[in-house]
Amino acid sequence: MTQQAEKCCDAFAEATPVFVRTVIALSHASSIAEISAAIKVAARQLAGADGATYVLNDGGDCYYADEDAISPLWKGKRFAKQTCISGWCMSNKQQVAIPDIYEDARIPHDAYRPTFVKSLIMTPVRKDDPIAAIGTYWAHNHHATREQTLLLQTLADVTAVAIENIEHRLSLEAIVKQRTEELASSRDELKQLAYVVSHELQEPLRMLSSDLKLLSVRYQGRLGADADKFIASGLSNSGRVERMLDAVWMYARIEKAQDKTNVQSQNAFDSARTRLSDVIASRAASVTSSSLPSVKANQTQLEYVFQELLENAIKFGKPHPSVHCTAKYNDGEWVFVVDDDGLGFDILDGNLIFGMFKKLHKNTPGTGMGLAICRRIIEAHGGHIWAQSRKGEGSSFCFTLPE
C-alpha cells in the first residue's frame, strides 16, 4: 500500500465515528431541516474547518439554509446561482476547492469581505443532478487535502440518499393521505346513498306491504287461486326488499370500531345462541363452544357476527346439525373458528360469499348481506374473516380479532 493510500485509510478511520453518528442522525431525519442540522456539524468536523453551510438548490437561487461557524455567514439568505460559488458548483456538477477566495473570479468578494472566510471547499449533493451543496470554510488560506475532498464528497453522497428517502416517504404519505381522503369521501357518499335509498324507499314499501296485507285479509279466496298466489308473492318480496334495505343501511354505517370495550366473547356467543333458540330447537341442533376469551370489541357487533355464523351453520346443515366454536391465541391475535358438519360448499366460492348480495345456497331466504356485514365488522376491528369448506364435509368460518 502506498503512503498516500495509507494516509487516506487513516483519515477515513479517524472519520468513522463522525460518519456513524451522522448516518444514524440522517436515518432518523424526517425533514430537510433535520438533515441540514446534522450535515453542517458533520462537514465542519470532517474537514476540520472553521465553518460549514448547507445550501439548497432553489430554482434560480442558492438558499443558505443552515450553518455552523465561528461567526455568522449567510444563513437565511438567497443568491442568484450565477453570482456565487455554490451556484457554480451545482451548475457544473463538481466539487471545487479554493485556497484563496480573493484570487478566484468565481467568488463574489463583496459578499465574503464581512466574513472570516479566506478559503473553502464547495461540494455538490447528488453530483449527477445537484439538489444542494455543502460549503466548508477556513479563516486562513487552506490547501484542501485529497482526504478532505473525499470525505466531504462521501458525506454529500450519503446526504443525497437521505434526502431522496425523505422525498420518497413524503410522496408516499401524500398518496396515502389522498387515498384516505378519497376512501373517506367514498364512505360518506355510500352512507348518504344508503340512507337516501333506505329511507326514501321504506315509506312506499310500507304502503305497498300494507295494501297487499289489506288485499289478503279482505279478498283471500275471493279473487281466485292465482290472485291469492300473486298477493302472497308480493307480500313476500316486499318484505324481502325491506330487509335488504335495512341490511344495506347497516352495512354502510359500519366504520372503524371506535367504541370498543373489554368484551367477554363467551357472553357474546351465548347471547347469539339464545336469540337463535327457536331455530336451534326446530332443527334439533347442537350448538356448543370451548371457553372463549375476553377481547377488545364492540359488543353488539360481535354478537351479530356470532349470530350470523351460527344461524347459517344451523340452517344449511344436515338434519340435527352440530356447531362448535373455538378460539386460539396466535401471534398477537385471537383466531375464532365456527365449525359445522353441514352441506359444505366449493372452496372456490369461499371469497365470493363475503360480497354484497352473495349466496352460496340459492333459492334460500335471506338478503345475501349477512356475511358481507360480518366481513365489514371484523375488518373494522382490525381483523379478517375467511371460510374453509368442502362439499358434503362441513365448513369452518374463521375470523381474527387483535389482542
Side-chain angles (χ1 to χ4, degrees):
M1 183 182 290
T2 66
Q3 187 176 3
Q4 182 65 31
E6 288 181 357
K7 276 184 69 178
C8 193
C9 288
D10 290 342
F12 270 87
E14 291 177 10
T16 297
V18 176
F19 265 115
V20 170
R21 289 196 301 270
T22 305
V23 169
I24 292 173
L26 293 177
S27 68
H28 289 91
S30 59
S31 67
I32 300 301
E34 291 181 9
I35 285 180
S36 64
I39 294 307
K40 66 180 183 181
V41 174
R44 186 177 174 187
Q45 290 178 347
L46 290 172
D50 297 311
T53 59
Y54 184 70
V55 189
L56 294 176
N57 186 350
D58 190 14
D61 293 336
C62 296
Y63 175 63
Y64 282 71
D66 212 344
E67 64 186 34
D68 179 36
I70 57 176
S71 62
L73 292 170
W74 309 279
K75 182 176 179 179
K77 293 185 178 180
R78 295 177 186 275
F79 300 94
K81 271 186 182 177
Q82 64 270 24
T83 66
C84 62
I85 192 63
S86 55
W88 186 94
C89 167
M90 289 187 277
S91 297
N92 288 273
K93 305 177 183 179
Q94 68 183 66
Q95 187 182 52
V96 58
I98 302 175
D100 186 347
I101 63 169
Y102 294 106
E103 295 295 326
D104 196 303
R106 295 170 295 184
I107 300 291
H109 298 151
D110 289 341
Y112 278 74
R113 282 195 180 92
T115 73
F116 66 84
V117 179
K118 295 295 186 296
S119 47
L120 62 81
I121 302 173
M122 191 65 65
T123 307
V125 175
R126 198 169 68 186
K127 285 188 289 187
D128 57 337
D129 183 20
I131 50 180
I134 299 171
T136 43
Y137 311 91
W138 285 262
H140 56 275
N141 292 343
H142 173 78
H143 290 270
T145 66
R146 183 169 180 269
E147 293 76 32
Q148 286 174 328
T149 57
L150 283 173
L151 285 169
L152 289 169
Q153 190 59 66
T154 303
L155 177 65
D157 294 341
V158 170
T159 303
V161 173
I163 291 173
E164 288 171 357
N165 286 341
I166 285 181
E167 289 176 345
H168 183 60
R169 195 192 73 243
L170 292 175
S171 175
L172 289 177
E173 288 177 353
I175 293 172
V176 170
K177 182 181 179 183
Q178 180 184 353
R179 297 287 167 80
T180 302
E181 290 173 351
E182 290 172 355
L183 286 172
S185 177
S186 297
R187 285 197 300 268
D188 290 341
E189 290 173 1
L190 173 63
K191 286 176 65 178
Q192 185 177 4
L193 176 63
Y195 178 85
V196 170
V197 169
S198 296
H199 289 71
E200 290 297 320
L201 291 180
Q202 285 288 5
E203 185 58 30
L205 269 174
R206 277 195 293 269
M207 292 178 63
L208 176 61
S209 296
S210 179
D211 290 342
L212 287 170
K213 287 176 183 176
L214 189 61
L215 278 173
S216 178
V217 170
R218 290 188 177 181
Y219 298 101
Q220 181 74 32
R222 297 173 62 183
L223 300 177
D226 285 345
D228 289 346
K229 184 172 69 173
F230 294 148
I231 292 171
S233 176
L235 276 170
S236 174
N237 286 326
S238 63
R240 180 167 175 264
V241 172
E242 284 188 60
R243 291 191 296 275
M244 289 178 70
L245 290 175
D246 288 338
V248 168
W249 176 228
M250 181 178 181
Y251 180 89
R253 283 185 300 164
I254 298 170
E255 295 180 345
K256 185 175 181 180
Q258 300 291 350
D259 52 346
K260 294 188 291 186
T261 58
N262 287 322
V263 174
Q264 293 296 330
S265 59
Q266 184 67 59
N267 293 342
F269 177 89
D270 293 342
S271 178
R273 180 171 54 186
T274 299
R275 289 199 189 100
L276 294 170
S277 56
D278 290 344
V279 178
I280 293 172
S282 68
R283 297 278 292 155
S286 170
V287 179
T288 58
S289 75
S290 301
S291 179
L292 302 180
S294 173
V295 293
K296 203 84 169 177
N298 178 291
Q299 172 91 27
T300 303
Q301 291 180 349
L302 184 57
E303 288 179 6
Y304 179 94
V305 172
F306 277 128
Q307 183 170 334
E308 183 67 26
L309 297 183
L310 293 178
E311 187 171 15
N312 283 344
I314 296 166
K315 283 184 175 179
F316 306 120
K318 299 174 181 178
H320 314 299
S322 177
V323 186
H324 185 69
C325 180
T326 59
K328 182 173 71 173
Y329 184 76
N330 180 49
D331 195 22
E333 62 184 9
W334 285 100
V335 182
F336 291 82
V337 181
V338 177
D339 290 308
D340 67 62
D341 59 354
L343 302 176
F345 55 85
D346 188 339
I347 195 61
L348 295 177
D349 297 326
N351 291 326
L352 298 178
I353 58 174
F354 294 101
M356 296 175 67
F357 308 117
K358 300 295 183 182
K359 291 183 178 182
L360 274 177
H361 306 284
K362 296 182 178 180
N363 303 318
T364 57
T367 63
M369 286 291 293
L371 290 177
I373 292 172
C374 287
R375 176 180 60 81
R376 197 163 172 88
I377 287 173
I378 295 303
E379 289 178 354
H381 280 73
H384 60 284
I385 187 169
W386 69 99
Q388 299 171 337
S389 185
R390 186 174 295 175
K391 279 190 174 181
E393 297 185 15
S395 306
S396 296
F397 280 80
C398 317
F399 63 91
T400 64
L401 292 175
E403 182 182 12

